[in-house]
Amino acid sequence: MANDASRQGRTALVTGGAGCLGRAIAIALHDAGHQVLVTYHNSAAAARAWQDEQAGLGRDFTLYQVDVADNAACQALVRQLEQDGRQVDILINNAGITRDASLRKMSYDNWSEVMRSNLDSMFNMTQPLCGAMADRGWGRIVNISSVNGSKGAFGQANYAASKAGIHGFTKSLALELARKGVTVNTISPGYLATSMVKAVPEEVLKEKILPQIPLGRLGEPDEVAALVAFVCSDAAAFMTGSNIAMNGGQHMY
């Protein structure tokens, strides 16, 4: 049963908020009526500039710095949230990195760095927060995976493995929390019009990436963010353990 916060807006925590998708998700959740906390890792100046820009538009975001690959840092963040009187009702595990190379040329550091940032972070951020959600009888956990976690990609054995692992984590946790009023879902975007993808040479984009996408274009971060906001709503209460694809038809399953 939903708690009283359902009538007042809830508090959402979005990791990886310095990136294009994280920012779009934060805005969508704010505009849905929630208080939004945003984490970043290295880009403090950019994060605070964005915070100031959004404040000028009437959106108030609270920033926290944390390395989601570091369990001790995540535990410290949760303690800080408690000290600040923050109750996290919605957790968006969005932070992630790439370190691409064919497996023959991939270093162990590049393998382990991606696994820690993309997959260990699921445990690091979720484990200290999900119990309180269950105790309160309401929660939403959304884990951001990728189309390449389902279909694979050349040069991304580390990234694809980490993103595939996310949905195994989602399904198991969804079973554990289903009777507690907490839903856990995966969203797997395709290629989005983010700064990282836009930096790809135009000929590569036109000749190799777009031909794979039946809709013939990149997705917009705002489109994925709108899906996240729905999954976090009361209207999506019967959805848990799902892997929701939004990839322009690039991979259908």
Side-chain angles (χ1 to χ4, degrees), residues 193-211:
T194 62
S195 55
M196 181 176 68
V197 174
K198 289 178 179 178
V200 171
E202 186 175 359
E203 63 273 16
V204 174
L205 184 64
K206 289 183 175 179
E207 295 175 13
K208 294 187 176 180
I209 294 178
L210 292 180

Side-chain angles (χ1 to χ4, degrees), residues 41 69 97-99 107-120 158:
H41 183 202
I97 63 170
T98 58
R99 297 289 185 269
S107 68
Y108 177 74
D109 285 346
N110 283 350
W111 169 271
S112 60
E113 187 176 0
V114 168
M115 297 303 286
R116 289 196 308 270
S117 294
N118 296 5
L119 190 54
D120 287 2
N158 51 0

Side-chain angles (χ1 to χ4, degrees), residues 119-141:
L119 190 54
D120 287 2
S121 62
M122 296 292 126
F123 175 88
N124 294 342
M125 287 302 307
T126 309
Q127 193 273 340
L129 292 172
C130 66
M133 293 182 190
D135 290 344
R136 292 191 299 268
W138 196 95
R140 295 286 184 269
I141 299 169

